[in-house]
Amino acid sequence: MPLLTKSQKRTTISALRSSDVRAVDQKYNEPTRLWCNEEWVTAGCLRCTDPRCMKFIDAEINCRHFPDFSYERDLNVCPVGAIKWNFDKELPEIAEPSSDYTDIPINHVNLEAHKMFIRELDKIHWNHQFQKETDGIMERIYQDISQFDGRSMVPNILVRNLIIALNHECAKSRTGDVYTRMDDVYSSNLKPTCKGVVEIEFGRDTLEASRSILDDIAVMHSRNNLDKNDNAALVVCLSFPNKRQGYFQVIKDINRVLGLKIQTISLGALLLLVWNGAQVNFLSREFYVDFDNLSIRGITEFRLNRRINLSDGKLGILEPEK
């Protein structure tokens, strides 16, 4: 994905003709609208010099609670480079022409005004409704993800980015670092502060993930003095394993013997939470499931405040496949 650099010498950015935005509205599968100057205008690309839709900042991909954690410095929001700038036309490919916006020259005054506008926009509360889920949409996403084998970093980067989108800091272990065995560490920007380790398993060996997460918890206790009871550990899987694989029995045994509630969440469930702007604090352990309770459909619907439009057992997203 091409990066905007000083050498490319862009001379303009975009701005609303009136920046007095009072409200933000978004409906599923429709462009976001801004209430501005007593009318609704379509939210357009502002061609930011620091495009947050494309790139994270370093503070988002590392965890302040784990300063010694060696992390991967991949700043891409999309792990496969689907969001790109069209530098030939000096316009982003996602932009639509609109008379509500104007080009302004890049200078110190305009850049500061631009940054101020973005900060003020961030303060406005709005209901996030990005994508309406269907069985077909999830099938296409899972088919695309299945093309990446165990050597690819795309699944791990994707999970990291989704956790960041849920208002957390998340760091992925650096490729080739044999000293760090866990996949990710994360900490919340919510109160109370939540932090923990993440194991990612998109294959069929989820049983190994349940064992690895125990090692991760022990390592974080010895290296970072993070008590096991304060470690809101997560296992992120592509699909929920079925009962016969033994994963959920091991999770139940860990809770029974050690009093640790290791949470399990699927890629599809993370997508649902992000698409709907859900507020999740994993400190509550509400995504804990075991052999006696194999579904996160109820808690996910609670966080979305609505029913989920996915068939029972679909792709193992909210419960094991039938």
Side-chain angles (χ1 to χ4, degrees), residues 13 15 103-116:
I13 53 178
D103 289 342
I104 57 177
I106 290 182
N107 56 44
H108 177 73
V109 173
N110 286 342
L111 284 175
E112 287 303 311
H114 188 268
K115 292 176 182 178
M116 178 65 71

Side-chain angles (χ1 to χ4, degrees), residues 143-163:
Q143 183 177 6
D144 289 341
I145 288 295
S146 66
Q147 298 175 12
F148 299 97
D149 59 25
R151 295 169 294 179
S152 172
M153 287 295 102
V154 167
N156 286 27
I157 294 293
L158 177 58
V159 169
R160 182 204 67 176
N161 294 358
L162 290 173
I163 293 175

Side-chain angles (χ1 to χ4, degrees), residues 247-262:
Y247 169 81
F248 288 113
Q249 183 60 56
V250 172
I251 293 295
K252 180 180 178 180
D253 291 342
I254 291 172
N255 184 30
R256 178 177 57 83
V257 176
L258 300 176
L260 296 177
K261 288 189 172 182
I262 295 171

